[in-house]
mmCIF file of all heavy atoms in Angstrom:
data_model
loop_
_atom_site.group_PDB
_atom_site.id
_atom_site.type_symbol
_atom_site.label_atom_id
_atom_site.label_comp_id
_atom_site.label_asym_id
_atom_site.label_seq_id
_atom_site.Cartn_x
_atom_site.Cartn_y
_atom_site.Cartn_z
ATOM 1 N N ASP C 445 -27.180 -16.330 -7.419
ATOM 2 C CA ASP C 445 -27.975 -17.368 -8.097
ATOM 3 C C ASP C 445 -29.448 -16.975 -8.177
ATOM 4 O O ASP C 445 -30.099 -17.154 -9.213
ATOM 5 C CB ASP C 445 -27.876 -18.718 -7.354
ATOM 6 C CG ASP C 445 -26.510 -19.340 -7.547
ATOM 7 O OD1 ASP C 445 -25.753 -18.833 -8.398
ATOM 8 O OD2 ASP C 445 -26.192 -20.317 -6.829
ATOM 9 N N ALA C 446 -29.957 -16.453 -7.053
ATOM 10 C CA ALA C 446 -31.374 -16.082 -7.020
ATOM 11 C C ALA C 446 -31.654 -15.003 -8.064
ATOM 12 O O ALA C 446 -32.666 -15.071 -8.775
ATOM 13 C CB ALA C 446 -31.741 -15.585 -5.619
ATOM 14 N N ILE C 447 -30.759 -14.049 -8.157
ATOM 15 C CA ILE C 447 -30.972 -12.954 -9.125
ATOM 16 C C ILE C 447 -30.901 -13.494 -10.553
ATOM 17 O O ILE C 447 -31.735 -13.158 -11.408
ATOM 18 C CB ILE C 447 -29.934 -11.830 -8.906
ATOM 19 C CG1 ILE C 447 -30.157 -11.192 -7.536
ATOM 20 C CG2 ILE C 447 -30.016 -10.777 -10.012
ATOM 21 C CD1 ILE C 447 -29.129 -10.166 -7.133
ATOM 22 N N GLU C 448 -29.952 -14.379 -10.789
ATOM 23 C CA GLU C 448 -29.821 -14.928 -12.141
ATOM 24 C C GLU C 448 -31.073 -15.719 -12.535
ATOM 25 O O GLU C 448 -31.591 -15.566 -13.644
ATOM 26 C CB GLU C 448 -28.574 -15.814 -12.204
ATOM 27 C CG GLU C 448 -28.170 -16.149 -13.623
ATOM 28 C CD GLU C 448 -27.042 -17.155 -13.652
ATOM 29 O OE1 GLU C 448 -27.300 -18.347 -13.326
ATOM 30 O OE2 GLU C 448 -25.918 -16.758 -13.982
ATOM 31 N N SER C 449 -31.557 -16.540 -11.601
ATOM 32 C CA SER C 449 -32.738 -17.342 -11.915
ATOM 33 C C SER C 449 -33.952 -16.457 -12.175
ATOM 34 O O SER C 449 -34.722 -16.689 -13.112
ATOM 35 C CB SER C 449 -33.080 -18.297 -10.765
ATOM 36 O OG SER C 449 -31.981 -19.105 -10.502
ATOM 37 N N ALA C 450 -34.104 -15.435 -11.339
ATOM 38 C CA ALA C 450 -35.245 -14.531 -11.518
ATOM 39 C C ALA C 450 -35.182 -13.861 -12.881
ATOM 40 O O ALA C 450 -36.190 -13.724 -13.577
ATOM 41 C CB ALA C 450 -35.261 -13.490 -10.404
ATOM 42 N N PHE C 451 -34.000 -13.492 -13.269
ATOM 43 C CA PHE C 451 -33.831 -12.858 -14.586
ATOM 44 C C PHE C 451 -34.194 -13.841 -15.693
ATOM 45 O O PHE C 451 -34.941 -13.523 -16.625
ATOM 46 C CB PHE C 451 -32.387 -12.376 -14.756
ATOM 47 C CG PHE C 451 -32.112 -11.821 -16.126
ATOM 48 C CD1 PHE C 451 -32.520 -10.540 -16.467
ATOM 49 C CD2 PHE C 451 -31.458 -12.598 -17.094
ATOM 50 C CE1 PHE C 451 -32.282 -10.032 -17.735
ATOM 51 C CE2 PHE C 451 -31.229 -12.104 -18.366
ATOM 52 C CZ PHE C 451 -31.636 -10.818 -18.686
ATOM 53 N N ALA C 452 -33.701 -15.081 -15.564
ATOM 54 C CA ALA C 452 -33.957 -16.090 -16.596
ATOM 55 C C ALA C 452 -35.450 -16.373 -16.713
ATOM 56 O O ALA C 452 -35.955 -16.705 -17.776
ATOM 57 C CB ALA C 452 -33.182 -17.362 -16.281
ATOM 58 N N GLU C 453 -36.142 -16.240 -15.572
ATOM 59 C CA GLU C 453 -37.594 -16.512 -15.597
ATOM 60 C C GLU C 453 -38.414 -15.241 -15.855
ATOM 61 O O GLU C 453 -39.634 -15.222 -15.633
ATOM 62 C CB GLU C 453 -38.011 -17.146 -14.260
ATOM 63 C CG GLU C 453 -37.467 -18.556 -14.105
ATOM 64 C CD GLU C 453 -37.506 -19.026 -12.647
ATOM 65 O OE1 GLU C 453 -38.356 -18.531 -11.877
ATOM 66 O OE2 GLU C 453 -36.673 -19.873 -12.282
ATOM 67 N N ASP C 454 -37.784 -14.215 -16.303
ATOM 68 C CA ASP C 454 -38.436 -12.945 -16.628
ATOM 69 C C ASP C 454 -39.230 -12.334 -15.479
ATOM 70 O O ASP C 454 -40.271 -11.701 -15.686
ATOM 71 C CB ASP C 454 -39.384 -13.110 -17.846
ATOM 72 C CG ASP C 454 -38.608 -13.469 -19.091
ATOM 73 O OD1 ASP C 454 -37.523 -12.884 -19.281
ATOM 74 O OD2 ASP C 454 -39.071 -14.341 -19.853
ATOM 75 N N LYS C 455 -38.758 -12.532 -14.270
ATOM 76 C CA LYS C 455 -39.473 -11.917 -13.135
ATOM 77 C C LYS C 455 -39.093 -10.445 -13.034
ATOM 78 O O LYS C 455 -37.946 -10.081 -13.336
ATOM 79 C CB LYS C 455 -39.088 -12.629 -11.841
ATOM 80 C CG LYS C 455 -39.593 -14.056 -11.794
ATOM 81 C CD LYS C 455 -39.295 -14.655 -10.443
ATOM 82 C CE LYS C 455 -39.890 -16.037 -10.341
ATOM 83 N NZ LYS C 455 -39.384 -16.770 -9.181
ATOM 84 N N THR C 456 -40.017 -9.610 -12.580
ATOM 85 C CA THR C 456 -39.698 -8.186 -12.493
ATOM 86 C C THR C 456 -38.895 -7.862 -11.230
ATOM 87 O O THR C 456 -38.253 -6.825 -11.153
ATOM 88 C CB THR C 456 -40.986 -7.329 -12.489
ATOM 89 O OG1 THR C 456 -41.863 -7.886 -11.518
ATOM 90 C CG2 THR C 456 -41.632 -7.317 -13.869
ATOM 91 N N SER C 457 -38.994 -8.751 -10.245
ATOM 92 C CA SER C 457 -38.211 -8.513 -9.023
ATOM 93 C C SER C 457 -37.875 -9.848 -8.374
ATOM 94 O O SER C 457 -38.439 -10.874 -8.757
ATOM 95 C CB SER C 457 -39.032 -7.665 -8.047
ATOM 96 O OG SER C 457 -40.180 -8.398 -7.686
ATOM 97 N N ILE C 458 -36.958 -9.835 -7.403
ATOM 98 C CA ILE C 458 -36.722 -11.086 -6.678
ATOM 99 C C ILE C 458 -37.420 -11.044 -5.322
ATOM 100 O O ILE C 458 -37.541 -9.994 -4.686
ATOM 101 C CB ILE C 458 -35.229 -11.438 -6.513
ATOM 102 C CG1 ILE C 458 -34.446 -10.312 -5.824
ATOM 103 C CG2 ILE C 458 -34.577 -11.824 -7.814
ATOM 104 C CD1 ILE C 458 -33.138 -10.811 -5.256
ATOM 105 N N GLN C 459 -37.867 -12.205 -4.907
ATOM 106 C CA GLN C 459 -38.629 -12.328 -3.662
ATOM 107 C C GLN C 459 -37.903 -13.302 -2.733
ATOM 108 O O GLN C 459 -36.982 -14.011 -3.150
ATOM 109 C CB GLN C 459 -40.033 -12.897 -3.958
ATOM 110 C CG GLN C 459 -40.838 -12.126 -4.980
ATOM 111 C CD GLN C 459 -41.300 -10.773 -4.450
ATOM 112 O OE1 GLN C 459 -41.498 -10.611 -3.234
ATOM 113 N NE2 GLN C 459 -41.480 -9.797 -5.331
ATOM 114 N N THR C 460 -38.370 -13.341 -1.505
ATOM 115 C CA THR C 460 -37.761 -14.239 -0.514
ATOM 116 C C THR C 460 -37.703 -15.671 -1.042
ATOM 117 O O THR C 460 -36.683 -16.357 -0.890
ATOM 118 C CB THR C 460 -38.581 -14.206 0.805
ATOM 119 O OG1 THR C 460 -38.875 -12.849 1.107
ATOM 120 C CG2 THR C 460 -37.823 -14.840 1.936
ATOM 121 N N ALA C 461 -38.771 -16.110 -1.677
ATOM 122 C CA ALA C 461 -38.826 -17.503 -2.141
ATOM 123 C C ALA C 461 -37.715 -17.812 -3.143
ATOM 124 O O ALA C 461 -37.171 -18.927 -3.154
ATOM 125 C CB ALA C 461 -40.190 -17.779 -2.768
ATOM 126 N N ASP C 462 -37.357 -16.834 -3.975
ATOM 127 C CA ASP C 462 -36.283 -17.064 -4.947
ATOM 128 C C ASP C 462 -34.959 -17.355 -4.223
ATOM 129 O O ASP C 462 -34.190 -18.227 -4.623
ATOM 130 C CB ASP C 462 -36.096 -15.826 -5.844
ATOM 131 C CG ASP C 462 -37.352 -15.541 -6.659
ATOM 132 O OD1 ASP C 462 -37.893 -16.495 -7.246
ATOM 133 O OD2 ASP C 462 -37.780 -14.372 -6.685
ATOM 134 N N VAL C 463 -34.728 -16.580 -3.164
ATOM 135 C CA VAL C 463 -33.469 -16.775 -2.432
ATOM 136 C C VAL C 463 -33.518 -18.120 -1.692
ATOM 137 O O VAL C 463 -32.522 -18.852 -1.646
ATOM 138 C CB VAL C 463 -33.195 -15.611 -1.457
ATOM 139 C CG1 VAL C 463 -31.777 -15.710 -0.907
ATOM 140 C CG2 VAL C 463 -33.393 -14.257 -2.137
ATOM 141 N N ILE C 464 -34.682 -18.455 -1.146
ATOM 142 C CA ILE C 464 -34.799 -19.735 -0.429
ATOM 143 C C ILE C 464 -34.500 -20.896 -1.394
ATOM 144 O O ILE C 464 -33.779 -21.839 -1.041
ATOM 145 C CB ILE C 464 -36.198 -19.891 0.220
ATOM 146 C CG1 ILE C 464 -36.334 -18.848 1.341
ATOM 147 C CG2 ILE C 464 -36.398 -21.307 0.768
ATOM 148 C CD1 ILE C 464 -37.684 -18.843 2.045
ATOM 149 N N ASP C 465 -35.014 -20.794 -2.610
ATOM 150 C CA ASP C 465 -34.721 -21.852 -3.598
ATOM 151 C C ASP C 465 -33.221 -21.992 -3.826
ATOM 152 O O ASP C 465 -32.680 -23.098 -3.883
ATOM 153 C CB ASP C 465 -35.405 -21.533 -4.941
ATOM 154 C CG ASP C 465 -36.911 -21.801 -4.873
ATOM 155 O OD1 ASP C 465 -37.333 -22.493 -3.914
ATOM 156 O OD2 ASP C 465 -37.649 -21.301 -5.750
ATOM 157 N N ALA C 466 -32.577 -20.854 -3.953
ATOM 158 C CA ALA C 466 -31.123 -20.894 -4.182
ATOM 159 C C ALA C 466 -30.408 -21.499 -2.973
ATOM 160 O O ALA C 466 -29.440 -22.260 -3.114
ATOM 161 C CB ALA C 466 -30.604 -19.486 -4.464
ATOM 162 N N ILE C 467 -30.908 -21.196 -1.787
ATOM 163 C CA ILE C 467 -30.285 -21.741 -0.567
ATOM 164 C C ILE C 467 -30.406 -23.269 -0.569
ATOM 165 O O ILE C 467 -29.461 -23.985 -0.242
ATOM 166 C CB ILE C 467 -30.944 -21.145 0.707
ATOM 167 C CG1 ILE C 467 -30.580 -19.652 0.817
ATOM 168 C CG2 ILE C 467 -30.505 -21.896 1.965
ATOM 169 C CD1 ILE C 467 -31.326 -18.881 1.890
ATOM 170 N N LYS C 468 -31.570 -23.744 -0.982
ATOM 171 C CA LYS C 468 -31.790 -25.207 -0.992
ATOM 172 C C LYS C 468 -30.855 -25.908 -1.961
ATOM 173 O O LYS C 468 -30.503 -27.071 -1.783
ATOM 174 C CB LYS C 468 -33.255 -25.509 -1.351
ATOM 175 C CG LYS C 468 -34.192 -25.225 -0.193
ATOM 176 C CD LYS C 468 -35.610 -25.635 -0.541
ATOM 177 C CE LYS C 468 -36.558 -25.264 0.593
ATOM 178 N NZ LYS C 468 -37.902 -24.985 0.077
ATOM 179 N N ASP C 469 -30.466 -25.179 -2.992
ATOM 180 C CA ASP C 469 -29.575 -25.769 -3.999
ATOM 181 C C ASP C 469 -28.094 -25.701 -3.608
ATOM 182 O O ASP C 469 -27.225 -26.105 -4.361
ATOM 183 C CB ASP C 469 -29.712 -24.998 -5.326
ATOM 184 C CG ASP C 469 -30.909 -25.497 -6.112
ATOM 185 O OD1 ASP C 469 -31.405 -26.588 -5.757
ATOM 186 O OD2 ASP C 469 -31.342 -24.786 -7.045
ATOM 187 N N THR C 470 -27.820 -25.104 -2.458
ATOM 188 C CA THR C 470 -26.411 -24.849 -2.112
ATOM 189 C C THR C 470 -25.911 -25.795 -1.024
ATOM 190 O O THR C 470 -26.616 -26.035 -0.038
ATOM 191 C CB THR C 470 -26.264 -23.386 -1.613
ATOM 192 O OG1 THR C 470 -26.728 -22.533 -2.637
ATOM 193 C CG2 THR C 470 -24.811 -23.062 -1.284
ATOM 194 N N HIS C 471 -24.713 -26.313 -1.231
ATOM 195 C CA HIS C 471 -24.066 -27.048 -0.136
ATOM 196 C C HIS C 471 -23.173 -26.057 0.573
ATOM 197 O O HIS C 471 -22.227 -25.546 -0.009
ATOM 198 C CB HIS C 471 -23.244 -28.207 -0.686
ATOM 199 C CG HIS C 471 -24.091 -29.270 -1.299
ATOM 200 N ND1 HIS C 471 -24.838 -30.137 -0.528
ATOM 201 C CD2 HIS C 471 -24.332 -29.588 -2.576
ATOM 202 C CE1 HIS C 471 -25.511 -30.947 -1.325
ATOM 203 N NE2 HIS C 471 -25.214 -30.636 -2.583
ATOM 204 N N SER C 472 -23.509 -25.796 1.821
ATOM 205 C CA SER C 472 -22.755 -24.752 2.524
ATOM 206 C C SER C 472 -21.354 -25.245 2.862
ATOM 207 O O SER C 472 -21.063 -26.435 2.844
ATOM 208 C CB SER C 472 -23.471 -24.372 3.803
ATOM 209 O OG SER C 472 -23.369 -25.446 4.716
ATOM 210 N N LEU C 473 -20.537 -24.264 3.216
ATOM 211 C CA LEU C 473 -19.145 -24.571 3.558
ATOM 212 C C LEU C 473 -19.061 -25.565 4.720
ATOM 213 O O LEU C 473 -18.271 -26.500 4.708
ATOM 214 C CB LEU C 473 -18.434 -23.270 3.935
ATOM 215 C CG LEU C 473 -16.952 -23.411 4.184
ATOM 216 C CD1 LEU C 473 -16.225 -23.516 2.859
ATOM 217 C CD2 LEU C 473 -16.416 -22.233 4.972
ATOM 218 N N SER C 474 -19.933 -25.366 5.725
ATOM 219 C CA SER C 474 -19.820 -26.250 6.888
ATOM 220 C C SER C 474 -20.247 -27.675 6.550
ATOM 221 O O SER C 474 -19.803 -28.629 7.190
ATOM 222 C CB SER C 474 -20.622 -25.699 8.065
ATOM 223 O OG SER C 474 -21.943 -25.537 7.687
ATOM 224 N N GLU C 475 -21.073 -27.816 5.526
ATOM 225 C CA GLU C 475 -21.418 -29.175 5.082
ATOM 226 C C GLU C 475 -20.193 -29.808 4.414
ATOM 227 O O GLU C 475 -19.849 -30.954 4.677
ATOM 228 C CB GLU C 475 -22.516 -29.072 4.023
ATOM 229 C CG GLU C 475 -23.845 -29.676 4.382
ATOM 230 C CD GLU C 475 -24.801 -29.450 3.217
ATOM 231 O OE1 GLU C 475 -25.409 -28.349 3.167
ATOM 232 O OE2 GLU C 475 -24.912 -30.341 2.369
ATOM 233 N N ILE C 476 -19.572 -29.002 3.547
ATOM 234 C CA ILE C 476 -18.468 -29.538 2.748
ATOM 235 C C ILE C 476 -17.223 -29.792 3.601
ATOM 236 O O ILE C 476 -16.504 -30.746 3.407
ATOM 237 C CB ILE C 476 -18.138 -28.557 1.585
ATOM 238 C CG1 ILE C 476 -19.371 -28.411 0.686
ATOM 239 C CG2 ILE C 476 -16.939 -29.014 0.769
ATOM 240 C CD1 ILE C 476 -19.311 -27.241 -0.274
ATOM 241 N N MET C 477 -16.995 -28.910 4.562
ATOM 242 C CA MET C 477 -15.735 -29.008 5.317
ATOM 243 C C MET C 477 -15.963 -29.339 6.793
ATOM 244 O O MET C 477 -15.193 -28.906 7.644
ATOM 245 C CB MET C 477 -15.000 -27.672 5.261
ATOM 246 C CG MET C 477 -14.509 -27.281 3.903
ATOM 247 S SD MET C 477 -13.558 -25.754 3.989
ATOM 248 C CE MET C 477 -12.358 -26.038 5.270
#
Side-chain angles (χ1 to χ4, degrees):
D445 288 349
I447 295 174
E448 194 187 72
S449 303
F451 175 78
E453 290 163 26
D454 296 319
K455 293 185 175 167
T456 49
S457 63
I458 56 161
Q459 305 289 331
T460 315
D462 298 313
V463 190
I464 293 178
D465 285 345
I467 291 171
K468 285 184 184 151
D469 277 345
T470 302
H471 293 286
S472 70
L473 186 77
S474 57
E475 244 179 275
I476 299 166
M477 294 184 51

